[in-house]
Amino acid sequence: MHPSHAGAPGNELNITTVSVKAFAGQRPGTSGLRKKTKEFMQPGYVEAFVQSVFNAMRRPVSGDFSKSTLVIGGDGRYYNKEAIQKILHIAIGNEFGRVMVARGGILSTPAMSAVIRRRNAFGGLILSASHNPGGIDADFGIKYNVSNGGPAPEDVTERIYEFTERINHYYWFQCDDIQIDKIGKRTYAATEVEVFDPLADYTALMTELFDFDALRKFFAGGFRMVFDGMHGSTGPVAVHILEEQLGAPKGTVVNGIPLEDFAGKHPDPNLVYAADLVRRMAAPDAPDLGAANDADGDRNMILGRNVFVGPGDSLAVIAEHAAQLIPGYRAGLSGIARSMPTSTAADRVAKALNIPIYETPTGWKYFGSLMDAGLCTVCGEESFGTGSNHIREKDGFWAVMCWLSILCATRKSVAEIMTRHWTRFGRSYFQRHDYEGLNLTAANQMNDEMRALLPGLAGKDFASSRIAAADDFTYTDPVDRSVTPNAGIRLLLEDGSRVVFRLSGTGTQGATLRVYLERFAPDHDQDSFKMVAQLATSIRQLLRLKERFNREDPDVIT
Ligand code: VG1
Ligand code: CO
């Protein structure tokens, strides 16, 4: 039975019910459903998932989407356009009142969050596998965001998953491809489809938070930066705001044109995958600030001349300065939140500001309820994610604007800002080690074994210290009291160091083990590698990585 044909004008006869089989494994992970592109390209795969999302979301509107607005956009990767066409036809088939699709189909994750909030939309679908490579042999993904602009919380993703397991049909509006390259509106069946300018709402939001006049003068006075768009969705945003609005010289933005294959690279802003930018920032004529965003624009990396600002430190520095130096935060911060594995640098700032710090499981979805309740203003993750309550996603470009504002207001270099911060607060030396493509069964077994060992670990020697406490992180949301167990195993050492490990929830092949190492010191001139080396060796031994997986060294260190 079709949901409703009552009173719909015109061509709703073009809506058909199409049979589809349920696909196994359509359970959203840390950030939406992420799979190999070819998996998404199977006939019916996108259709089954998207219809399941709509089925799961029908209850809050009593089965009637006629007053609901759905927003659609993606990071421009291979299969973006095809998936958008499918979603458009299915959304019209489900009789949404309004569907807003970004011009050209390209919309960053933070811009999606901004659009949902500013247009009071019901929800949005983002086509992205984030920082994972794109292409027919690479990765694709679909994320659903709810009406607060944030990722669907776990009860919603679980409901979606339940629907994917028993879906057998979807609703499809039959017509030719819908043009999305020109701004405008057109009605299909009961749905008005609006192609909108993906830069407008996001730019407006940035002008509300930051002092564009001051930044214009800063660039006019000779300040120089380079922004690496990594051929993802923030390139056009950066060109528009930095070059067109703030008057930064042409060429400030590099790799600014979205490409389906991100020029064959990992669109991942870290020291490994943004190596060109890192080299440029180490050159004798390096600009004052270097920054990069991932494909869907929610991750960021910040560099100064010859300095790398770790994500945990970036969060701490932004929190330290926001109320004083950034207009949007003049009223002060209500609190800071960080994911559990993220370094404790922000905790020390929170203490100094006398505001609460919240520790959440990995994934941005856990920050949403804190921000909705007004408990925290800024939040961050060690995985190059920083953001605030201006939206409900991490926001790579916002982080860059924060750093720009801090440099502009203080007229200090990135290195000076960091030295001042560490001198005042001490420094958390931090590294994440990723072991990729591990056997999934063996990885799960390792976790089970470790969980069983936890009660006996306290008091055991570890690295140059001793284990003070060991547990499997369980999070209780302070607002809705929902409980998330198994959010990462952590070993807290007597000298204040921490080792955390967990399995990734975004991988598309086998298992990825993430090991997070943190060691605090009051001084800041040590070498990060040396500082955490013993922690790294000890955890490798405890987990018996060599025996289990025949692995010694991590694949990626960030
Ligand atoms: C990773 C990161 C996590 C981040 C998530 C999505 O998840 O660790 O901090 O929120 O990716 O980021 P996992 O489960 O693989 O560790 V993004 O930029 O992919 O939307
Ligand atoms: Co991302």
Side-chain angles (χ1 to χ4, degrees), residues 114-403:
V115 172
I116 292 176
R117 291 172 72 77
R118 291 174 91 89
R119 309 292 182 109
N120 290 318
F122 175 74
L125 284 164
I126 309 172
L127 296 318
S128 173
S130 190
H131 51 288
N132 293 17
I136 191 165
D137 293 314
D139 295 342
F140 194 77
I142 303 185
K143 313 190 262 188
Y144 181 70
N145 280 28
V146 293
S147 60
N148 74 348
E154 217 161 50
D155 60 317
V156 174
T157 54
E158 279 306 294
R159 207 159 73 223
I160 293 171
Y161 177 56
E162 283 163 23
F163 275 100
T164 66
E165 289 189 297
R166 52 194 159 88
I167 188 156
N168 56 31
H169 65 277
Y170 61 87
Y171 304 116
W172 180 267
F173 178 75
Q174 260 174 323
C175 68
D176 292 343
D177 273 7
I178 293 171
Q179 80 78 23
I180 59 167
D181 289 325
K182 270 200 288 298
I183 287 170
K185 293 179 186 171
R186 202 178 146 182
T187 299
Y188 300 84
T191 306
E192 180 184 77
V193 174
E194 176 183 346
V195 180
F196 69 95
D197 172 6
L199 304 178
D201 284 342
Y202 186 79
T203 306
L205 185 53
M206 291 299 113
T207 62
E208 289 163 19
L209 297 173
F210 300 99
D211 185 345
F212 273 44
D213 286 333
L215 295 175
R216 236 172 254 130
K217 289 192 194 115
F218 196 35
F219 279 114
F223 178 84
R224 290 296 170 258
M225 72 173 289
V226 55
F227 177 93
D228 189 339
M230 305 194 93
H231 294 297
S233 56
T234 8
V237 176
V239 169
H240 180 60
I241 295 182
L242 297 175
E243 298 184 5
E244 291 167 14
Q245 302 261 320
L246 300 178
K250 290 242 161 349
T252 294
V253 178
V254 299
N255 302 323
I257 296 170
L259 293 178
E260 285 199 338
D261 68 345
F262 312 118
K265 295 185 182 152
H266 282 252
D268 191 355
N270 62 34
L271 295 173
V272 180
Y273 295 120
D276 290 346
L277 178 69
V278 175
R279 260 195 300 281
R280 179 136 174 211
M281 293 308 294
D285 61 344
D288 307 288
L289 175 66
N293 279 182
D294 74 336
D296 68 324
D298 56 356
R299 295 183 175 213
N300 75 91
M301 177 169 69
I302 301 293
L303 300 164
R305 248 175 263 115
N306 256 324
V307 262
F308 160 66
V309 181
D313 283 339
S314 181
L315 171 66
V317 168
I318 290 171
E320 179 189 0
H321 295 288
Q324 254 83 53
L325 307 183
I326 306 175
Y329 303 92
R330 285 269 147 78
L333 311 180
S334 62
I336 308 174
R338 62 164 174 82
S339 67
M340 184 273 280
T342 302
S343 95
T344 53
D347 302 31
R348 297 188 286 276
V349 174
K351 196 159 173 234
L353 295 174
N354 199 19
I355 54 174
I357 177 94
Y358 299 89
E359 198 175 30
T360 60
T362 296
W364 210 261
K365 56 189 166 199
Y366 300 99
F367 295 134
S369 108
L370 300 177
M371 291 191 280
D372 285 349
L375 297 180
C376 81
T377 308
V378 297
C379 35
E381 292 191 282
E382 52 63 43
S383 54
F384 296 80
T386 342
S388 89
N389 61 353
H390 67 293
I391 52 170
R392 294 293 181 273
E393 284 278 6
K394 51 189 188 262
D395 189 343
F397 193 77
W398 169 90
V400 178
M401 292 295 283
C402 286
W403 272 91

Side-chain angles (χ1 to χ4, degrees), residues 317-318 321 325-326 402-411 417:
V317 168
I318 290 171
H321 295 288
L325 307 183
I326 306 175
C402 286
W403 272 91
L404 253 177
S405 304
I406 293 168
L407 301 179
C408 171
T410 59
R411 304 287 154 151
I417 295 287

Side-chain angles (χ1 to χ4, degrees), residues 8-9 11 15 65-72 88 91-101 119 173 178-179 184-196:
N11 48 3
I15 296 175
F65 289 128
S66 67
K67 306 245 172 343
S68 307
T69 298
L70 178 77
V71 190
I72 307 172
L88 280 170
I92 301 166
N94 280 267
E95 296 180 293
F96 271 87
R98 204 148 83 105
V99 172
M100 296 181 57
V101 55
R119 309 292 182 109
F173 178 75
I178 293 171
Q179 80 78 23
K185 293 179 186 171
R186 202 178 146 182
T187 299
Y188 300 84
T191 306
E192 180 184 77
V193 174
E194 176 183 346
V195 180
F196 69 95

Side-chain angles (χ1 to χ4, degrees), residues 381-447:
E381 292 191 282
E382 52 63 43
S383 54
F384 296 80
T386 342
S388 89
N389 61 353
H390 67 293
I391 52 170
R392 294 293 181 273
E393 284 278 6
K394 51 189 188 262
D395 189 343
F397 193 77
W398 169 90
V400 178
M401 292 295 283
C402 286
W403 272 91
L404 253 177
S405 304
I406 293 168
L407 301 179
C408 171
T410 59
R411 304 287 154 151
K412 300 216 176 308
S413 68
V414 173
E416 286 164 339
I417 295 287
M418 287 321 301
T419 305
R420 282 211 313 183
H421 176 81
W422 288 326
T423 306
R424 179 169 171 206
F425 293 101
R427 178 172 178 185
S428 282
Y429 292 86
F430 185 91
Q431 263 184 7
R432 185 176 96 184
H433 293 188
D434 291 339
Y435 298 84
E436 296 172 348
L438 305 181
N439 179 287
L440 189 60
T441 317
N444 282 325
Q445 194 186 335
M446 174 182 79
N447 259 2

Side-chain angles (χ1 to χ4, degrees), residues 10 17 39 141 227 250 497 528 543:
T17 302
E39 215 166 323
F227 177 93
K250 290 242 161 349
S497 304
S528 287
L543 296 179

